Amino acid sequence: MSAEARRLGKYELHERLGSGGMGDVYKAFDPQLRRYVAIKLLNADLRNDPTFTSRFTNEAQLVASLHHPNIVRIHDFDFVPETASSSALAYMVMEYIPGQTLSDSMRETSRQFKFPPAADIVYLFTALGQALDYAHGKGVIHRDIKPANVLLDRRLATTIPMGEPILTDFGIARLQGGTAHLTMQGEVLGTPHYISPEQAQGKPGDQRSDLYSLGVMLYEIMTGVKPFRAETLHAILIQHLTATPTPPHLVNPAIPPAASQVILTCLEKDPDARFSSASAMTTALAEALNVPTSTQFLPTLPSPGNSSMPGYSTQLYPLATMPPTSYPSSSSSATPFTPLPGTNAPILPATIQNNNQGMPGSAPTMLVSPPPALSPAPAITKPRPKRGTMYIVLSVLLIGVLLGAAWAVYALSTRSSVGGTNLGTPAPGAVVGHLIFIKSSHASPGAFDELQINLDNVPTPEAGSSYYAWLVSTCAGNESLGPHWALPTSNNAIHTPPLTYQGSKNLFCPSPNSLLVISKEATNPAPLLATTPLYYAHVTRPASTTFQIMPCPPGGTSHVCESG
């Protein structure tokens, strides 16, 4: 933001707190009420989206009506009109909560295999779950539940060291896309690691989608890893749709199997197979972890449709420890590594540590030791085959060679030819085209808001299918499978005019995981994911805006295209 824009209406902008796909967040000061606030500047193309203003107003009013101790308060929202030097802005003014996010806390704990006590996990998810049930009862779906959207408020009296969880960014995903825009563009709302399968398919999702994302968070905080991981964002979305996560108790043996099943129920592909509410999930979790629920003193929420504010008890939530039988033995002797069935990978042994020494009633922390280096498997000596068996094998190989030669002759004789150029399959690594990023006359400084694709020697797609380009990027911590276009084919070539994408002011984001994927998909219904990648271009060099397009390696096993 420029020096001239250090004020936004009556607010004085002090520092940027964070940046992501939904917008930038600033710490600001309200001179009238003499208090600090957090201001979120939304990434929105108001010039090209005539419906945004009405959608923003309706959604912001709905979110501002939420009054819950575990949901951040919305104080104000407004627009800044477009000027000759800057684009129009939409922003929301929220309660300022100092401290870290749950993502920051997990980076120092669970992701280091230092897990919070069972009672703290139950408290955390009970508070978040009741906030979600309250919002769902008001007809508000979050659609982007993730650790970065949970603030930890340490100003309040709470028994968990990490702080009181406060959900933020309610409705922001819908403000960015909206149901109508989602249907037209097939845009995916949410963050890929935490997105529900139905959202990955381009559907708007409902309260059960929020419960799925809550289950991903629960999996991560109890195991230290996310349930679905891959080198590309597209591959992560495919895993949400098709893959079965590793049971959590096989990742962290300190998790009771009953708690593992609670997490897996949250992650069911079918929304109807998940819990009916967040409170039902946290109740099952408390029972599985043997944390008493009868003495929980969390706020009691009104039933859906009751707008009266509930009363909140000032009693503290009691700490509880998991029973010793829930943990493996933590003796000083070495714990053997037990391989998973059918693999050589060991299960990490869990030990018990009390990181809250001197605190009465403190619960033990689940710790998973890092795995040792694996020894190479011993060589296996195979018995020599009998002479008769060798003759049979050689005969089969000879027949295979003859059949392969006959097929090669047939393929060469029937190969397509246009203008004297054979359309064979290019070798992996061969350059078959170029991707060019372009700066239009109205682009922001440093931004490239257009791109052009030139690709030669491509077969004409079958009837009912077409080529599509998908831009996959990670920019400033924003993970998205975003802009995509249908590509016209003419004379076995693709030469596009400069392409733009609604709502994207900058398409150029060089990073190790940024790439353009070109796939061939059925056109009815409109595709939401690249299921058959054929070509790719790595967008990795910030000093260049032109990149080579190459064919995906054959076999569907390459992480480059994630076609498998």
Side-chain angles (χ1 to χ4, degrees), residues 188 200-201 234 237-238 241 470 481 519 521 526-532:
V188 174
Q201 292 176 309
H234 170 260
L237 294 180
I238 291 294
L241 289 170
W470 311 78
L481 176 69
S519 67
E521 310 292 341
L528 297 172
L529 295 171
T531 59
T532 56

Side-chain angles (χ1 to χ4, degrees), residues 2 5 80-89 505:
S2 64
V80 175
E82 184 176 9
T83 65
S85 59
S86 63
S87 302
L89 291 175
K505 298 180 180 179

